[in-house]
Every structure is written in C-alpha cells, then in structure tokens.
Amino acid sequence: MARHGNYGVLAGALSTFIMLAMLLHLFFLDYERLADENGDGDGGGGKGGAGKEAGGDEKWRRSLDEYTLSKEWDARTSPQTRYYNWTVTEIVANPDGVYRPLLTINSLFPGPLVRANTGDTLIVDVHNTLPNSTSIHWHGQLQNGTNHMDGTAGITSCPIPPGKSFRYRFTVQVDAGTYWYHAHVGTQRVDGLFGPLVVHGGEEGGEGGQGVERRHEGHGEGGGEDGKGEDGGEFDSDTVVMVQDYYHAPSAALLPAYLAPGNENAEPIPNGALINGRNIFPCPSPPSSSSSSPSSPSASRCNTTLTTLFTLPLHPGKRHRLRFINVGAFTEFDISLDTLPLTLLAIDGTPVDPASAGQFNTLRINVAQRYDVAVTAPAEPVWMRAKMLAHCFAAIPPTLALEARGIIAPPNAARERAGPEPKSQPWGGERGKKCVDMNLTSVVPRQRVPAPPATRVLHLRTNFEIGAYKLSRGFINATSWRPAHTPVLSTLVDALGANATLASTPGVVSYDGLDEVRQLLWSPGAGAQVVDMLVSNFDDGNHPLHLHGHVFWVIASGTGYATYPLSAEEEGRGGRGEWVRRDTVTVPAFGWAMVRVRMENAGVWALHCHLAWHSEAGMMGMVVGRPEVVAGWGEKGKGGKKGGKKGKKGGKKRHEGHDEDEEDDDEEDDDDDKHGKGGKHKDKEDKHKDKHDEEKEHDDDEEDTLPASLARCKAWEPLQVWPGIDDKSFEW
C-alpha cells in the first residue's frame, strides 16, 4: 500500500510471517532444483569457496561493454527491419553475491540492449521456457496502429504460455531517446526480465546545436536534420546506466505475503540495489544450524568471490553522455557522481534545454523514469552512488544495503576489482526528504510543442482500501484491477463493432464481458480528444503513474488540492510549448498531478502505478483512444489487418525470417558489432537462435495481425499459467 504507516494488527503480522516462511521454504526447494540443473549446488558461504551455480565463471553475467553504445551506428540510414531472437529462461545467479533464481533473456542478466532508428521496424521473437506465462511491454513506444503489440497481458494481448513463442513486430514511431522494455505479467520484471531500448535518428538533444527531432505522439514525425547531429558530436562516449532495487527472494515468494489479509502498508522492502546488474552485498557469516532461518537466504547463499562493482572507463576531460533508467520495483533513487556536476539533456526521451535546468549534483529518479545527463570525466577515479530513498519505506530493516556504488575512472584505471578504491567524497548538503520528482519547473523542452486546449477532463483518484477479509487493495477510482483472461481489446472490438453509440459516448465504458469492478475503462469519445487528467492521491505514498502508448505534457503537481481550470498564465505556458513531455510522472503522497494528453492513438492503453507491488494490488485502469477506429478492428474489419501490418513499412529488411541465408548470417555478425556486443556471448545467443528456429510458429506474416493475435489468444487460453495469486483471493 503506501510507503509509510503501521503494519496492522498483530494477528495479521503473525499470519504474514508464517506465510512468508512457508513460501521461502518452497523457494529453497525450487532453488536446489535449479542449482542441480545449473551445476553443483554448493555456492560456499561468505567470501570463501568458489560457487559453481549458473557457472562459477559467471557466464550468465552480461558484459558491461554491451551497455556502452557503439559509435559505428548509422543514425541516418533508411528505415530497416531489425531482428532480435530471445529465449526467456530461469537461472540461479548471484548479481550482488547472494544466489537466487533470476528470469533472463538468453540466460544472460540483465537484458540485452535493443537499438533502432526512428522509422525502423523491430521484430522480436520471444520463446517462453518458463513454467509461467510471460509477455514483453515496450515502455515509451507509441504502438500507433499496433495496439496488440503493446505486450500488456490481459489488456492488449494474452501472455505467452509456457513452451510457446510470439513475434512482436512494430514500427519505432518515437523520436531519438532512452526507453526500455520489461515483462508485463505479474511481477516478473522484478526478477530480471527487463532491458534498455535506445532510439536514434536526427537530433537527440545535446549541449549544442539547434536541430532537435520533434516528438508528436501518434505521428512519429522527425524534425530537421540540421544542427550537429544526434548528440551534437560533442560526447566522447554514450552509456546506458540501469539502477534498481534488488530482492534476495523471488517476487513470487514475496507477493502472496504482501497481498495477505491484514497486511496494510507492508510492501516488501528490498535487500539492496544494483547498477547495471552489479553490486557487492556484505555477506554475513554462515549461520549455525540452530540460528538459520528461511527468511534470511543471504545468510547461507552468499559468495562474492567473483562479484564486481559497475565500472565505467571514461577519458578524462571529455564530455560523456549517461542514460539513467530506474528499472526497479519499488524504490526512488538519488544518483550522484562525487565532485562531478551533471547537465540534464533529456527526460523520458524528450530533449530539454540544458541551460534551463542548470547544473545539479543529484539526480532523483522514480521507478520507470529516464534521465539523460552529460558529465565531464575526472582525472582520478570517483564513486557513482545510487542511494535508495529509504525514508519512503514503512520500515527500514537493519540489514538494508542502502546504496549501490559504481566506479568512474580513466580507462587505464578502470579494471574491475583492481587497484585502490576511489577516495572521493559525496556531495554535501541536505537532500529533500519528500518522496517526489526532482524540481523541473524551470526546465523547458528543446523543441517546444504547443499543447492544444483540453476538450475533456478526467478526474482520477488513487488510494488503497481495506475490504472484506482485511484485504488491502489498490484502487483507481472505484476499480481494483485484475487481469482479464480474455484481453480487454478483444471484447472491446466486438462490443464497439456491434454498438456504434458506444464508440461516440465519452465516459466509463460499460458492456457485457467487461467487469467494471476489476477493469475500469474510460473513453474520451470519438476523435483525437485532448484530455486533462487530474490525478488526486489519497494515499500516504507516492505513485509513479505511467500511460501506455502516449507522451503527455506535465502541467504541474503538488500537495493538498489542485486548482482547476488552469489559470490563463499556466495555459499560456502550455500554449508556448513550455511544459515538459514525458510518459511517467510522480503523483505525490496526499497530493496531485495534472497532465494533458492528446488521445490520438487508437486502442486500449493501460494507466497504472509503476511500483510493481501497487500495480499487482490493483492500482491500474485503462483508457481507450479513437474508439471509432477500434470499432473497425474486428476479424472482418480492415482496421485489424492494417494495424497489424503497419510495422512492416520501411526500407531494407534484416533477418525478417528465420531461415536466413549465408549473406544474412554475415549481416547478423555486422549487427552484433554495431550493437557493441564484441562477440563475447555470441555462441550462447546462437544456441538459443537454433533452438528457436526449430520451434518457431511464425511462417506466415498474417500471424502478426490483430485478428490472428486475438484468435491465438483463444487457442492459448487453456495453456495459460498466470503467476501470483489465484483470483479467488481477490474477492471482496
């Protein structure tokens, strides 16, 4: 629920503890099974002993070099089809020293970097080897015309059952910027299913030059090619930096206890944090048999012999670009580089005017948000610090490793675990104690896109409520969301096709097959309506709110009550294009946030709190854009096939099919070099590719269309295995 407050009655706490102990006991049984499959199960305790689980030489760990973008990438080439082949697997690994099961892509952690240019077609074949169903959501991508490729299980599509495959195909319609992808079934992203997605093309926003690509949601338009190019030619390197809170128990073991009766205000607290999948947890001494507890896995399964910190080699005196992404489950971070001031370049993919932001020493980033910054590399090694805002938790465990650290150093000194640690000291001064977004009121976009006047107003309320059986659930208005086993998009297409009035009527959508108690669906009515969303938060914790398929203008946020309609002065700022555009905004505790969005992307789009525990507790709703267009997406309608095919537009095609010839194989090698992979993991990637080729199910391009996707859902329904809690436990 919220991130402050008491823990409820003693009986509820006791029942929660018992449940957690039982679940963790089952986790260890499963852990032993996975350890046996991956190798010898003896990981050793503390720093002694070389663990063999998931490979004692850490072959499961993705190279840090893969997150530094290759300079060979051509951002101005004609649109291409870029192909990725993924197998989702479960392994046992120890990113910070503590062994636990992880969900991975091609058995490597974290997920791979995906790169594309605006206008490219992305094809990602996903084969699911997990015991549960899964899906992939492309965070920040517009999916205009390909709503069924959004990857939101239960809303736009069904998840991929165990042993099955699905092809994601869509056109990259956003402009250059930093985005990411992650699982959208249950809390699977908490266990490792995520990775960065970087889009290039034209101007991306640097510290010089004036040509900046325009970002009009729904259009995918590019701006002028003038200026200094994508980064102004001014950055010596360009690196993705993912920060996350990290749990030593699988989310499937933590979620039931959180959602148990009488468990108010008790979100799972992380054990520590990672930077690009790395940190070093202080291993406790191996416990005696009499003191061991199933609730403390770190005590018996910790080995930091091969564990390293995130280390980034940067040439001193040069300017470098860092793309920060909070890929975590629950925690807001303060990020800083000792003694190095930061210059803000972009927010959630939107380039901003660096002069309007000024330099700052601490970057505050909530879950799912992205910030690009520029920094001048130092002559001596310094610490990068990613510190969790622990005062936002309901309680702070004494064993919490509050800060993840990385090392910024000249190339000759940036050797993992080699040489002395940096001697740099953190920035001084008091940081804000409020769990809110960093103050961006003075920041303006580089490309000022005027906000049109609002034609609709949507009032939303976020809060937690305690109902029957002492169940605490998250709400948006009167709905606590649960996934529909038949995707909402499927039933909506049928309903709109049969009822023309439904498509033109604004307000809450009601029809047979939609459970309003579990699936709130709001429509602005026909046409490309401009909607002011005023979100009032009656919870004592903040909520990073994300809207799929759109970029919105952030008008304002604050505590207490908002004033609406807007003043003439504020409307003037929007009309001049001074509002920042992003896709994830923090609604403060006992406060509000107001955004304006142009609902011109046809389809059903999730609107939810991006804290993993809150969205699973029900804090999610849906909005439908251009319902009159969706009405034509039926099995016999032209809209469905057109929407499904939209992603195929483009020029040269790369690896579009699975049966590539020798020339295609050479081209894939070139692609690997462009992605900066260096070939280190290519053998493992090829093995997954061969396996996937044998089991592929996509011989016909028609399978990428909306009607085919919805038909596949009906066939897959008996095969679905949804992780988490059985639906009955959510009955009120």
Side-chain angles (χ1 to χ4, degrees):
M1 184 180 170
R3 289 187 275 188
H4 298 279
N6 58 54
Y7 282 93
V9 298
L10 180 60
L14 181 60
S15 64
T16 299
F17 175 79
I18 294 172
M19 178 179 288
L20 180 61
M22 293 175 63
L23 287 167
L24 287 170
H25 176 68
L26 292 174
F27 150 63
F28 280 118
L29 293 178
D30 189 58
Y31 171 92
E32 296 292 349
R33 173 186 65 79
L34 284 169
D36 290 341
E37 291 175 1
N38 287 325
D40 184 73
D42 184 13
K47 293 187 178 181
K52 299 180 181 179
E53 291 156 304
D57 54 356
E58 295 198 322
K59 292 181 179 179
W60 53 268
R61 196 186 291 275
R62 194 172 294 277
S63 170
L64 290 175
D65 294 340
E66 295 189 28
Y67 298 121
T68 294
L69 279 59
S70 167
K71 294 183 178 180
E72 301 302 317
W73 186 272
D74 186 356
R76 302 183 186 277
T77 187
S78 59
Q80 302 179 13
T81 297
R82 303 189 186 271
Y83 175 75
Y84 292 83
N85 198 322
W86 294 350
T87 298
V88 180
T89 61
E90 185 175 10
I91 67 171
V92 169
N94 59 334
D96 65 348
V98 178
Y99 287 98
R100 54 149 295 172
L102 288 175
L103 306 184
T104 65
I105 294 172
N106 295 345
S107 299
L108 296 172
F109 176 80
L113 169 66
V114 173
R115 294 180 78 179
N117 292 337
T118 300
D120 282 351
T121 295
L122 272 180
I123 295 179
V124 184
D125 283 341
V126 178
H127 178 65
N128 181 21
T129 69
L130 303 178
N132 292 313
S133 301
T134 192
S135 72
I136 302 295
H137 167 60
W138 312 93
H139 191 111
Q141 300 305 298
L142 299 179
Q143 302 290 3
N144 189 16
T146 48
N147 186 212
H148 60 295
M149 292 292 168
D150 190 53
T152 317
I155 296 180
T156 61
S157 61
C158 55
I160 308 167
K164 296 295 182 179
S165 303
F166 183 79
R167 168 169 287 184
Y168 293 95
R169 180 199 292 263
F170 59 92
T171 298
V172 178
Q173 299 160 329
V174 297
D175 293 324
T178 304
Y179 308 90
W180 64 305
Y181 61 85
H182 57 82
H184 217 292
V185 172
T187 52
Q188 289 178 340
R189 69 178 172 90
V190 181
D191 298 314
L193 272 186
F194 60 80
L197 194 167
V198 174
V199 177
H200 304 278
E203 290 280 351
E204 190 168 355
E207 295 175 292
Q210 297 301 317
V212 180
E213 283 225 64
R214 301 164 64 199
R215 185 179 181 182
H216 290 175
E217 67 265 36
H219 293 297
E221 296 177 348
E225 296 289 330
D226 57 325
K228 293 187 177 181
E230 180 188 352
D231 59 9
E234 56 201 315
F235 297 119
D236 187 67
S237 71
D238 190 340
T239 303
V240 173
V241 183
M242 296 177 287
V243 298
Q244 68 178 109
D245 48 12
Y246 187 66
Y247 296 81
H248 291 159
S251 65
L254 300 172
L255 184 62
Y258 168 55
L259 297 177
N263 214 24
E264 179 186 358
N265 285 3
E267 296 95 337
I269 304 301
N271 299 95
L274 303 177
I275 302 178
N276 277 4
R278 299 180 184 233
N279 198 19
I280 300 176
F281 187 78
C283 289
S285 301
S288 64
S289 58
S290 60
S291 63
S292 60
S293 167
S295 63
S296 55
S298 59
S300 58
R301 291 290 181 178
C302 193
N303 182 356
T304 58
T305 303
L306 300 176
T307 306
T308 60
L309 297 176
F310 167 72
T311 304
L312 182 61
L314 299 180
H315 290 107
K318 302 283 188 178
R319 293 292 277 173
H320 302 266
R321 186 187 197 106
L322 302 178
R323 303 169 182 264
F324 287 101
I325 311 173
N326 186 338
V327 298
F330 181 56
T331 306
E332 201 167 2
F333 280 89
D334 277 341
I335 298 172
S336 61
L337 280 63
D338 290 355
T339 72
L340 304 182
L342 307 175
T343 300
L344 187 63
L345 302 177
I347 300 171
D348 286 4
T350 296
V352 300
D353 180 4
S356 67
Q359 290 190 325
F360 54 96
N361 54 36
T362 301
L363 175 71
R364 177 158 294 183
I365 182 169
N366 211 341
V367 175
Q369 294 180 335
R370 291 94 62 208
Y371 289 97
D372 292 17
V373 302
V375 65
T376 300
E380 298 293 331
V382 300
W383 288 115
M384 173 187 290
R385 303 174 189 268
K387 188 174 183 179
M388 294 186 281
L389 272 62
H391 55 271
C392 301
F393 300 157
I396 303 178
T399 57
L400 175 64
L402 191 61
E403 185 178 81
R405 292 189 186 185
I407 298 174
I408 306 294
N412 61 352
R415 299 290 183 266
E416 295 177 323
R417 303 294 298 273
E421 291 185 341
K423 298 178 181 179
S424 62
Q425 297 298 313
W427 288 92
E430 183 68 21
R431 297 174 182 174
K433 293 295 184 181
K434 291 184 178 180
C435 304
V436 296
D437 280 341
M438 58 187 299
N439 188 348
L440 300 174
T441 54
S442 65
V443 178
V444 296
R446 286 283 293 270
Q447 178 68 34
R448 302 193 183 191
V449 179
T455 59
R456 297 279 190 271
V457 180
L458 174 58
H459 292 272
L460 296 172
R461 181 187 74 251
T462 57
N463 65 289
F464 277 77
E465 296 180 16
I466 300 174
Y469 309 106
K470 298 182 180 179
L471 293 174
S472 176
R473 294 293 177 262
F475 279 78
I476 292 184
N477 290 0
T479 295
S480 185
W481 189 86
R482 293 305 301 150
H485 285 238
T486 298
V488 171
L489 177 60
S490 178
T491 53
L492 181 63
V493 166
D494 294 339
L496 292 175
N499 186 342
T501 304
L502 191 64
S504 60
T505 305
V508 176
V509 180
S510 177
Y511 59 88
D512 290 340
L514 183 71
D515 183 354
E516 294 180 36
V517 176
R518 295 174 179 233
Q519 288 103 30
L520 170 68
L521 178 61
W522 185 83
S523 170
Q529 302 292 333
V530 179
V531 181
D532 276 353
M533 295 184 179
L534 175 54
V535 186
S536 298
N537 181 19
F538 290 84
D539 187 26
D540 56 1
N542 76 50
H543 301 293
L545 206 66
H546 171 54
L547 174 62
H548 288 216
H550 295 79
V551 181
F552 44 68
W553 289 272
V554 179
I555 301 174
S557 63
T559 56
Y561 295 94
T563 300
Y564 194 86
L566 301 178
S567 66
E569 180 183 359
E570 193 60 52
E571 282 285 5
R573 290 189 64 237
R576 294 189 298 272
E578 294 177 3
W579 293 337
V580 170
R581 304 181 306 282
R582 64 186 317 168
D583 57 52
T584 307
V585 65
T586 299
V587 187
F590 296 125
W592 54 274
M594 191 185 310
V595 302
R596 181 168 296 177
V597 59
R598 184 165 44 204
M599 294 294 301
E600 59 185 356
N601 283 5
V604 182
W605 307 103
L607 174 68
H608 64 95
C609 174
H610 219 284
L611 303 182
W613 313 116
H614 290 183
S615 59
E616 278 303 289
M619 195 170 286
M620 183 182 299
M622 298 170 288
V623 293
V624 55
R626 302 296 299 272
E628 79 282 3
V629 175
V630 178
W633 287 357
E635 189 166 354
K636 295 182 180 179
K638 296 180 181 179
K641 290 192 175 183
K642 184 178 180 182
K645 293 281 191 179
K646 185 161 186 166
K648 298 178 187 216
K649 292 181 180 179
K652 180 179 176 185
K653 295 187 177 181
R654 299 180 124 184
H655 314 302
E656 186 167 1
H658 291 270
D659 300 319
E660 295 91 6
D661 55 21
E662 218 172 291
E663 182 180 349
D664 286 330
D665 289 337
D666 292 339
E667 201 164 12
E668 183 176 343
D669 292 340
D670 294 340
D671 247 7
D672 285 343
D673 291 340
K674 288 183 179 181
H675 283 266
K677 292 183 178 180
K680 179 177 180 181
H681 299 303
K682 192 169 189 311
D683 291 342
K684 181 173 287 191
E685 304 278 354
D686 286 344
K687 288 179 182 178
H688 286 286
K689 183 181 187 316
D690 294 340
K691 179 180 179 182
H692 190 74
D693 285 348
E694 295 172 3
E695 302 175 8
K696 68 186 179 70
E697 299 177 0
H698 305 289
D699 297 319
D700 192 337
D701 287 341
E702 288 297 312
E703 293 195 18
D704 296 331
T705 65
L706 172 61
S709 177
L710 297 181
R712 185 187 297 114
C713 283
K714 294 180 181 179
W716 279 358
E717 189 166 344
L719 306 176
Q720 297 295 352
V721 183
W722 290 75
I725 307 300
D726 184 85
D727 278 349
K728 291 182 180 179
S729 67
F730 289 87
E731 297 290 352
W732 280 52

